[in-house]
Amino acid sequence: MTALVTGGTGFLGRHVVAELLRRGAAVRCALRPTSSEEELRAVAAAHGADRLELVRGHLTRPDFCDRAVAGCDVVYHVAAEMTGATAVLFLGNVVATRVLTDAAGRAGVRRFVLVSSLGVYGTAGVPTGGVLDETCPLDPAAHLRDPYSYSKVAEEQAAWAAYREGRLPLVVVRPGVIYGPGRDCLTARVGLRVGKLMVVMGGRQAMPYTHVANCARAVVLAGEAAGVEGQAFNVVDDELPTGRDLVRRYRTEVGGIRRVTIPRWAIGPLSGLCEWYHRHSRGQLPAVLTRYKSQAMWRPRRYPNDRAKQGLGWRPEIGLEAGLRESFAALRQGTPATS
Ligand SMILES: NC(=O)c1ccc[n+]([C@@H]2O[C@H](COP(=O)([O-])OP(=O)(O)OC[C@H]3O[C@@H](n4cnc5c(N)ncnc54)[C@H](OP(=O)(O)O)[C@@H]3O)[C@@H](O)[C@H]2O)c1
């Protein structure tokens, strides 16, 4: 099997490349002209350097995408702009996906796996303690969340349009928060980090985390499993941490942060106040909290992973304890391992 991987230099992408090489695939990685290839080369050296090919160009260029997908059976589109201005996010995530899906359709690939995000769901209709699964709709008001989520919803919409028109054998993977060595596990799902202060939002709710190696395996399986075209799969591990546990362990095992907890009942009113002041001050204070964002991020919910288990034959092999142990060890060393 020959696979094209975009985003292969990134946190998840490197693990996807490693998993593909371990399974004997030939892997072509589409990199930006400016991407560093050092860590990717190290991954390949450990798993099959002779089966890794690197091509460089811009995913917004149809001629580059045609060359990148030529001769590939499966495309794993992992790349995404994660931060930046809305225009950058839309160019990198929506326009690039549109151009790449067009090229994949022309080339007649067997499968196109799009790595999306659990953040694309509209959660307003999911009550406290309710189930967030693949039956939830895409967020109809993602522009009220943040530019990244907005671009990921638009990216999916572009890919689904190509699928519906019969141009793309699409499978979508929607990971929760990806953690592991090489990433800080105190993310925005836990709360807001201000220097050495962690403002924990609620703290008792389970957070939809997935270890990077577990997630990479799900992504690879999405390119292999039979009969799953046109489906989306949430990828969340079996054992989920709470923000309170994560911060407590972080303080013990890594250190260097203080903690303040905003109780769950106070998140809504605080977000409302923040929105009001943002408007009242004509934008002096950025709307870091809004009621819409807060209910999407911090309302307690359940995150089943049955569809990925049944449809992809996936199991999260790395448990929470082992995953956190290696993540904290990497953070302690200050030079996070990237395995
Ligand atoms: N991290 C999470 O918690 C999380 C959760 C849910 C979903 N996801 C999704 O998982 C995927 C990978 O995320 P990650 O955490 O691995 O991100 P990451 O470490 O920031 O890696 C992003 C990758 O995408 C490439 N890239 C960025 N913008 C690009 C562009 N305009 N054109 C071509 N390549 C570009 C980067 O290349 P360079 O080396 O050139 O920068 C890098 O290889 C993304 O699709 C993301 O939306 C992530």
Side-chain angles (χ1 to χ4, degrees):
M1 199 255 287
T2 302
L4 174 71
V5 179
T6 69
T9 54
F11 179 51
L12 175 61
R14 286 195 300 270
H15 284 263
V16 169
V17 171
E19 182 68 21
L20 284 164
L21 291 173
R22 259 197 298 274
R23 295 163 97 91
V27 180
R28 182 181 298 157
C29 284
L31 310 188
R32 292 196 263 205
T34 51
S35 300
S36 157
E37 58 183 69
E38 205 183 321
E39 293 190 48
L40 191 51
R41 291 271 182 215
V43 168
H47 299 286
D50 56 328
R51 283 179 284 114
L52 179 72
E53 179 192 355
L54 305 183
V55 292
R56 286 183 181 273
H58 293 286
L59 294 176
T60 46
R61 295 277 308 262
D63 55 338
F64 172 66
C65 288
D66 281 335
R67 270 188 288 122
V69 298
C72 290
D73 307 294
V74 180
V75 176
Y76 292 96
H77 184 30
V78 185
E81 296 280 4
M82 307 293 283
T83 54
T86 308
V88 173
L89 288 157
F90 268 69
L91 187 66
N93 299 347
V94 189
V95 177
T97 298
R98 180 67 206 264
V99 174
L100 185 63
T101 53
D102 283 352
R106 278 193 295 276
V109 301
R110 179 170 60 70
R111 182 69 56 81
F112 188 100
V113 178
L114 173 67
V115 176
S116 178
S117 164
L118 203 71
V120 297
Y121 289 113
T123 53
V126 184
T128 300
V131 168
L132 187 86
D133 65 11
E134 293 86 350
T135 62
C136 294
L138 294 184
D139 194 339
H143 59 287
L144 297 178
R145 292 266 283 276
D146 55 85
Y148 166 73
S149 305
Y150 188 19
S151 73
K152 291 298 277 186
V153 171
E155 172 189 60
E156 266 211 38
Q157 284 164 336
W160 285 119
Y163 169 76
R164 279 193 300 274
E165 289 159 17
R167 292 188 284 118
L168 195 71
L170 177 69
V171 176
V172 172
V173 175
R174 296 177 181 145
V177 178
I178 306 170
Y179 81 101
R183 270 289 152 87
D184 193 351
C185 38
L186 296 185
T187 65
R189 281 275 175 179
V190 178
L192 309 173
R193 197 162 178 169
V194 189
K196 294 193 168 184
L197 181 68
M198 189 74 213
V199 183
V200 180
M201 304 304 265
R204 289 168 192 264
Q205 69 277 20
M207 300 180 304
Y209 272 43
T210 179
H211 187 277
V212 64
N214 292 339
C215 184
R217 202 167 311 111
V219 171
V220 170
L221 289 170
E224 294 176 355
V228 294
E229 266 148 41
Q231 292 192 47
F233 296 94
N234 293 351
V235 175
V236 174
D237 288 352
D238 287 335
E239 305 164 283
L240 304 182
T242 65
R244 210 160 63 154
D245 291 346
L246 270 191
V247 175
R248 187 173 39 79
R249 286 197 54 173
Y250 191 103
R251 279 159 60 89
T252 316
E253 297 185 34
V254 184
I257 56 157
R258 287 179 295 125
R259 168 194 51 189
V260 170
T261 301
I262 308 291
R264 193 161 67 76
W265 63 262
I267 297 175
L270 189 66
S271 306
L273 187 67
C274 199
E275 268 180 282
W276 173 82
Y277 190 75
H278 172 70
R279 273 198 310 273
H280 185 71
S281 69
R282 302 203 175 148
Q284 251 181 27
L285 181 78
V288 274
L289 292 180
T290 69
R291 279 163 297 187
Y292 196 78
K293 277 198 265 191
S294 297
Q295 64 83 18
M297 290 288 277
W298 300 305
R299 187 181 275 183
R301 296 197 170 87
R302 283 174 290 145
Y303 303 96
N305 56 14
D306 311 274
R307 195 192 277 192
K309 285 180 172 171
Q310 283 153 21
L312 305 179
W314 174 73
R315 291 282 172 282
E317 284 168 20
I318 299 179
L320 182 62
E321 182 52 39
L324 288 181
R325 210 179 317 117
E326 60 170 354
S327 303
F328 288 136
L331 282 167
R332 264 197 309 276
Q333 285 160 15
T335 48
T338 49
S339 65

